[in-house]
Amino acid sequence: MEETAKGNILLVEDEVKLARFVELELKYEGYTVDVVNDGRDAIDKFGRNVYDLVLLDLMLPGFNGMEILRRIRKTSQVPVIMLTAKGDVSDKVSGLDSGADDYITKPFAIEEVLARMRVAFKKSAQTAHDDKPLRIKNLTIDPQKRMVKWQEIEIELTKTEFELLTYLVQNKNIVLTREQILNRVWGYDYFGETNIVDVYIRYLRTKIDDRFNEKIIYTTRGVGYYAKDE
Ligand code: CA
């Protein structure tokens, strides 16, 4: 018997009977499922857990599906499939514009949901596979191997340092605010001190800029930080 879970799913649906039905079907298929019936709970849950896919109803109490999607996309590229009673084309277009991966109109057959989920998983696996090495000055970041090198010298970074550096270099020459960095690297459920960002910037500067005498991380006073390429 295989007991490995296929993926962790967040199901956001306020029709309790429908939510229960989908939950049972997904569990039967081997997925782990968290169910919420309210928009606010969805945001809260998403901030506290790591999900592989979100099934998101459009019309919800609290925040609606579009608002939830907008918030999710601030920090995450998790696959999101919108579920809605409306067959309206304009909803579909705005959902996809807002970063939904797919769209299913109710009533649906569970087989359709499962099939669309498989497509979304495949797509996101391919995207992850496209994690090409990032370069800035003499520094190379390999997101797949989670390895950082200055020329040929490997630099040891903690997970948080690695994520902070990757985020800066992915957005090189763009000033990122402390809040953006906090949301992205620490997650929006982080309620500690915002100077944690400054502390970690200092760690990175010690390990990279100072050690190799090549300035990569710049400060924009009162705003935030950026990685500067030539
Ligand atoms: Ca609904």
Side-chain angles (χ1 to χ4, degrees), residues 8 17 20-21 26 31 40 42 87 144 174 184 217 223:
N8 201 13
K17 273 175 77 176
R20 184 72 184 141
F21 165 72
L26 294 182
Y31 295 103
R40 283 174 206 282
Q144 288 218 56
I174 299 168
R184 179 57 169 266
I217 301 166
V223 184

Side-chain angles (χ1 to χ4, degrees), residues 164-177:
L164 173 58
L165 179 68
T166 303
Y167 184 45
L168 287 168
V169 176
Q170 276 169 341
N171 298 284
K172 63 188 178 187
N173 303 322
I174 299 168
V175 181
L176 300 168
T177 65

Side-chain angles (χ1 to χ4, degrees), residues 13-15 57-61 106:
E13 170 61 70
D14 63 323
E15 288 169 53
D57 184 25
L58 185 62
M59 305 299 276
L60 290 161
K106 294 177 200 168

